[in-house]
Amino acid sequence: WAPIGSYHCGSSGLMCSASSATANVDALGLSETGVELSLAGDVLYVLQENVLSVWDVITPTEPMFVDELPLPERARAMIVDGDTLVVEGKYSLFTVDISEPFTPEIIGELVFEPMIWAMTHLSDDLLAVSTELGLSFVEVSDPSEPVVVSALLLSGSDGWVVELDEGQSTSGWGYD
C-alpha cells in the first residue's frame, strides 16, 4: 500500500518535495479540492472528479503526464495494492489494473445499493467499506471480481447486527 509520499495538493497547485528543496509543479493544473494522490514507485496517480491521471515522476520536480482513464462515476478515494488500484466511487468500487503502470485499465466493479461513505485498507487484499447500512468487508484477491465476504449491518437506533455465518449473529446497543 503506497503512501502519498512527498506530494501534496495546495492552493498553488501540486507540490513535490525533493530531497533538498520543494518545487511547485504548476504543469499539473489541479485545483486543491477534490484531488486524491497516490504514489507507486515512480508513478503518481491523480484522481480528480471522474478521471484518473497518470504521471511519470522519475524526476520529482519535472513530472510528465502519461495518460488518463475516464471513470464511470465521480471518484473520491483510491488505494494502491500491488498491481491493483482500488477506486471508491459514490455507489461502486472499481478495480484498476496497473501492472502496466502507464496504461491503467478498469477490470472489476462492485456495486453497492446504499451510497459508499468511505473505504480503508485492513490487510492485503481486504478492505472495509462503510455505507449507509453499515460496514462491508471486501476481498480483492481477484481484482476482476471484488466480493463482499462479510458485513456489519447497522439497524438505526435499534442497534447493530454482525452476520458471521448462516444462522449465526450477534447484536449490540443503539446507533444513531
Side-chain angles (χ1 to χ4, degrees), residues 15-26:
M15 304 292 287
C16 70
S17 300
S19 57
S20 60
T22 300
N24 186 2
V25 185
D26 291 323

Side-chain angles (χ1 to χ4, degrees), residues 5-160:
S6 59
Y7 291 86
H8 70 279
C9 199
S11 59
S12 57
L14 186 72
M15 304 292 287
C16 70
S17 300
S19 57
S20 60
T22 300
N24 186 2
V25 185
D26 291 323
L28 284 104
L30 302 172
S31 70
E32 88 180 274
T33 58
V35 176
E36 284 285 320
L37 308 173
S38 193
L39 187 62
D42 294 328
V43 180
L44 179 66
Y45 295 98
V46 179
L47 189 62
Q48 187 172 26
E49 300 288 332
N50 64 331
V51 176
L52 175 68
S53 300
V54 182
W55 293 81
D56 181 343
V57 291
I58 194 159
T59 305
T61 56
E62 298 176 18
M64 295 186 318
F65 173 78
V66 177
D67 199 3
E68 68 181 24
L69 176 67
L71 300 167
E73 66 182 65
R74 182 183 172 104
R76 301 182 297 197
M78 65 183 154
I79 296 172
V80 175
D81 179 20
D83 288 340
T84 304
L85 184 71
V86 181
V87 177
E88 171 198 325
K90 188 173 182 178
Y91 295 100
S92 297
L93 290 184
F94 301 97
T95 50
V96 179
D97 179 6
I98 56 171
S99 59
E100 296 292 330
F102 295 133
T103 56
E105 177 184 358
I106 296 173
I107 57 171
E109 179 181 6
L110 180 60
V111 177
F112 287 82
E113 289 295 324
M115 184 176 81
I116 297 173
W117 288 347
M119 73 173 174
T120 191
H121 162 248
L122 295 176
S123 65
D124 288 343
D125 300 328
L126 187 63
L127 306 171
V129 178
S130 64
T131 69
E132 294 173 334
L133 296 180
L135 188 63
S136 295
F137 300 95
V138 178
E139 185 179 328
V140 292
S141 58
D142 177 357
S144 65
E145 294 187 32
V147 62
V148 174
V149 293
S150 184
L152 170 68
L153 303 175
L154 302 176
S155 58
S157 61
D158 296 326
W160 49 266

